[in-house]
Amino acid sequence: AQKVTQAQTEISVVEKEDVTLDCVYETRDTTYYLFWYKQPPSGELVFLIRRNSFDEQNEISGRYSWNFQKSTSSFNFTITASQVVDSAVYFCALTEDSISNFGNEKLTFGTGTRLTIIP
Amino acid sequence: NAGVTQTPKFRVLKTGQSMTLLCAQDMNHEYMYWYRQDPGMGLRLIHYSVGEGTTAKGEVPDGYNVSRLKKQNFLLGLESAAPSQTSVYFCASTAVLGTPYEAFFGQGTRLTVV
């Protein structure tokens, strides 16, 4: 069975500090996809990134960066120079990939990390 | 550009009442999903559908029924609401081709059962 663990329940940092959100996953599949979603106080879920299991390159998008390491089954998310608008709950998620499952995104979510940026 | 729309956004039910949550998507997506979000538990899959007329159980299907009579709509029903079904419900859809594996979510329905 798939499992996603976000051990950090809540994190608070002062604005402009860097912060890393941890995500550890378990799966028996060799092919899978990992995701990060942001849930701001307004409640909607905002897609941030998708990474497939064959692509271990780190990715950077503005102040956001992701570190995928298959050796440790981790997919960590770093926000550089944090801003108050980054305050949200962040979810890491996992889905398997197979021919029979193609496009079928049955996501397994972690429990989320509530990030508060203090002005 | 509506995307995924959920109706209603808020609802309060009494124990034993029934209701239907509607999810509508205008992206011609094949796959649709219902999740529930509870504090400290993330989102959990209730039911999903891989196409019109087909549905399947997810992780927490008990107490819910679903129907997908039209490709664009996915209905979630509670026949006899219980306080344990107090939650925020999210609908999502994905495409088979184009941008697979990116789920588009609705804005959520906050349901309280008293």
Side-chain angles (χ1 to χ4, degrees):
Chain A
Q2 300 177 123
K3 184 178 179 181
V4 176
T5 301
Q6 294 180 256
Q8 303 153 308
T9 304
E10 295 189 26
I11 300 175
S12 294
V13 299
V14 177
E15 194 173 20
K16 298 184 182 178
E17 288 185 349
D18 300 347
V19 58
T20 296
L21 309 182
D22 298 334
C23 173
V24 175
Y25 63 91
E26 297 176 26
T27 179
R28 295 179 181 177
D29 298 308
T30 56
T31 306
Y32 50 88
Y33 282 78
L34 294 161
F35 304 79
W36 276 93
Y37 282 87
K38 174 182 179 180
Q39 187 176 43
S42 52
E44 74 272 22
L45 283 159
V46 179
F47 169 83
L48 295 178
I49 190 172
R50 174 185 71 247
R51 171 68 71 218
N52 74 56
S53 54
F54 295 110
D55 183 1
E56 289 194 69
Q57 285 188 342
N58 290 335
E59 181 157 341
I60 298 174
S61 177
R63 296 183 296 106
Y64 295 171
S65 63
W66 290 268
N67 183 349
F68 176 32
Q69 293 195 343
K70 289 181 74 172
S71 61
T72 56
S73 297
S74 65
F75 186 43
N76 296 338
F77 173 30
T78 297
I79 301 175
T80 303
S82 60
Q83 300 176 2
V84 173
V85 294
D86 297 326
S87 295
V89 179
Y90 290 86
F91 291 98
C92 181
L94 166 72
T95 190
E96 62 185 11
D97 179 21
S98 67
I99 293 176
S100 62
N101 247 17
F102 183 69
N104 187 355
E105 193 173 275
K106 291 187 293 179
L107 291 162
T108 298
F109 283 84
T111 53
T113 297
R114 181 177 299 278
L115 175 64
T116 301
I117 308 300
I118 303 167
Chain B
N1 203 8
V4 180
T5 303
Q6 292 181 230
T7 309
K9 291 184 171 50
F10 303 93
R11 185 72 185 269
V12 178
L13 284 180
K14 293 183 179 179
T15 298
Q17 285 185 321
S18 63
M19 78 163 294
T20 299
L21 280 66
L22 171 63
C23 177
Q25 53 96 1
D26 60 3
M27 296 172 284
N28 202 35
H29 284 174
E30 286 75 18
Y31 299 145
M32 297 186 75
Y33 315 80
W34 276 107
Y35 292 88
R36 61 177 287 173
Q37 181 181 17
D38 301 295
M41 301 192 73
L43 280 78
R44 294 178 292 168
L45 183 64
I46 305 171
H47 286 280
Y48 65 99
S49 169
V50 299
E52 184 178 323
T54 68
T55 63
K57 295 180 180 180
E59 181 185 355
V60 289
D62 294 341
Y64 305 95
N65 56 75
V66 289
S67 65
R68 183 104 179 263
L69 299 179
K70 294 182 179 180
K71 185 178 183 179
Q72 64 268 33
N73 296 336
F74 194 30
L75 278 63
L76 177 70
L78 287 73
E79 290 186 350
S80 180
S84 60
Q85 294 178 305
T86 293
S87 187
V88 179
Y89 292 86
F90 284 96
C91 176
S93 69
T94 59
V96 174
L97 300 175
T99 55
Y101 308 108
E102 177 180 343
F104 292 80
F105 283 85
Q107 292 187 307
T109 296
R110 184 174 296 276
L111 174 65
T112 302
V113 183
V114 298

